[in-house]
Amino acid sequence: MRTTKNLQRVVDKRHLKSLMYENMRRFPRWETNCIFEPGEVDRLLRRGSLYVDTCHDGFCLLDDEGDYYRVHFFFSVDAAVDFPPMDKPVLVEFLVTHGARGPVIAEMERKWLAAGFREHVRDLKMHLSLKGLALRPAVVENAAGRFVARLAREEDATQILPIWEASLDRLNSAIPSMEELLYEIGQGNIFVVDREGEICAANKMVIRGGMVSTWLGAVKREYRRMGLSTAMKHQIYKTAMERGVFHCYTWVDENNAASRAALAKLGFVHRGEWTEGFLLDAAGP
């Protein structure tokens, strides 16, 4: 059974560049699904979760997300995909833009399906302009108590992870480790809703390339449909605007009708961009 013990860990950016240049010269034509956002490589290198796997058809970068691997590949256009199962599920994604799957993406998807991967998830990219946005209060009061949206503190971490683990799809959400969560809290990127010391909701903010995105949004089951998620997101928008950022995007599962409706109510629109995810199940015992 293949594990990361069979792979080479990427040490730093210089190591990554040398691996890419060395392998990409092997083929006159190659294809990739790599859509690393600015700062994403830094995140993966910082937590030591990025590995390289080389084969006769090309090479790929595997991000160990804990419950699964996410693969970013650079393979020869003229070769079939040969990717044997590993000790955990493997996720490969393709970005679709302009509202249509072109023949190139369709052919890449066909190759991965032929290699044993199966359809897993389709996430829509939703956009929101923050210019002129009427911010909602960071405080929600109702019969259940007084809820305050705020930046997370280090002592909140032990309450945040259980919320994410109970609410999110572990094969799609990249729930961070405690060490990574503490780092993000220290960077001012995690927001929560607090009810007299109880953390009732949590969300991650990422600001890159002049845009803000929200990730890992979740509310405890007993506090849903109270407006906590909205209050928390508006606190993120307020922080982003204070930092000079006025465009927001997020991802939502196409099949999650409730989340899509909530985002539409906030003003989010879909502009024809989505990712299609395919999963290779873990190797049997």
Side-chain angles (χ1 to χ4, degrees):
M1 181 187 301
R2 288 205 314 161
T3 72
T4 52
K5 293 179 180 178
N6 305 115
L7 309 179
Q8 180 183 9
R9 192 165 78 175
V10 181
V11 177
D12 52 32
K13 284 186 176 179
R14 181 178 297 179
H15 184 207
L16 176 61
K17 288 180 180 179
S18 67
L19 288 168
M20 293 182 69
Y21 291 151
E22 175 185 343
N23 283 282
M24 290 169 67
R25 285 199 300 264
R26 294 164 55 199
F27 306 102
R29 300 194 307 152
W30 51 269
E31 57 193 13
T32 181
N33 72 327
C34 191
I35 52 173
F36 279 141
E37 295 182 330
E40 180 66 3
V41 172
D42 292 329
R43 181 181 75 88
L44 300 179
L45 292 173
R46 184 173 59 247
R47 72 177 190 176
S49 66
L50 195 61
Y51 296 82
V52 64
D53 187 19
T54 303
C55 65
H56 65 281
D57 299 326
F59 80 104
C60 60
L61 300 168
L62 260 70
D63 166 26
D64 187 349
E65 293 285 3
D67 292 288
Y68 65 98
Y69 300 110
R70 187 186 304 272
V71 60
H72 307 272
F73 65 84
F74 300 82
F75 283 172
S76 169
V77 171
D78 305 306
V81 170
D82 180 14
F83 200 104
M86 297 189 64
D87 60 320
K88 293 186 284 193
V90 180
L91 177 68
V92 62
E93 295 177 306
F94 300 88
L95 177 65
V96 178
T97 59
H98 307 299
R101 294 166 67 254
V104 173
I105 289 180
E107 174 61 15
M108 286 195 296
E109 291 178 350
R110 184 197 65 77
K111 289 181 179 180
W112 288 82
L113 286 169
F117 283 70
R118 58 181 173 82
E119 293 183 4
H120 173 60
V121 70
R122 176 165 151 154
D123 287 329
L124 306 181
K125 189 174 185 179
M126 308 286 286
H127 296 263
L128 174 69
S129 173
L130 301 181
K131 292 183 178 179
L133 180 69
L135 290 171
R136 301 190 185 184
V139 177
V140 174
E141 294 188 81
N142 56 38
R146 187 172 188 268
F147 302 84
V148 180
R150 60 167 173 80
L151 273 169
R153 308 180 187 117
E154 185 173 317
E155 59 267 26
D156 300 328
T158 55
Q159 294 191 64
I160 293 172
L161 282 179
I163 295 175
W164 285 342
E165 290 166 353
S167 304
L168 302 176
D169 176 2
R170 299 185 68 87
L171 293 181
N172 194 38
S173 298
I175 298 172
S177 65
M178 176 61 76
E179 181 180 3
E180 185 179 5
L181 174 57
L182 290 172
Y183 174 84
E184 295 291 349
I185 289 175
Q187 296 296 304
N189 294 333
I190 306 295
F191 290 74
V192 297
V193 174
D194 182 333
R195 173 183 174 270
E196 298 180 354
E198 178 189 5
I199 303 305
C200 305
N203 215 155
K204 177 181 176 181
M205 172 186 77
V206 178
I207 293 180
R208 291 178 187 146
M211 295 187 290
V212 60
S213 58
T214 58
W215 301 78
L216 303 172
V219 180
K220 280 186 176 180
R221 184 176 299 277
E222 60 266 36
Y223 299 122
R224 291 174 186 171
R225 301 186 182 279
M226 293 183 179
L228 305 191
S229 179
T230 298
M232 185 169 52
K233 282 184 168 62
H234 275 255
Q235 190 67 14
I236 291 176
Y237 305 153
K238 179 176 182 291
T239 302
M241 288 189 282
E242 290 171 349
R243 298 180 187 181
V245 176
F246 295 92
H247 184 85
C248 177
Y249 72 90
T250 192
W251 297 90
V252 61
D253 186 337
E254 182 184 48
N255 294 322
N256 191 332
S259 292
R260 289 182 61 185
L263 289 170
K265 191 174 181 179
L266 289 172
F268 279 87
V269 295
H270 179 227
R271 297 179 179 173
E273 300 167 277
W274 68 84
T275 60
E276 296 180 0
F278 298 82
L279 197 68
L280 180 66
D281 293 315

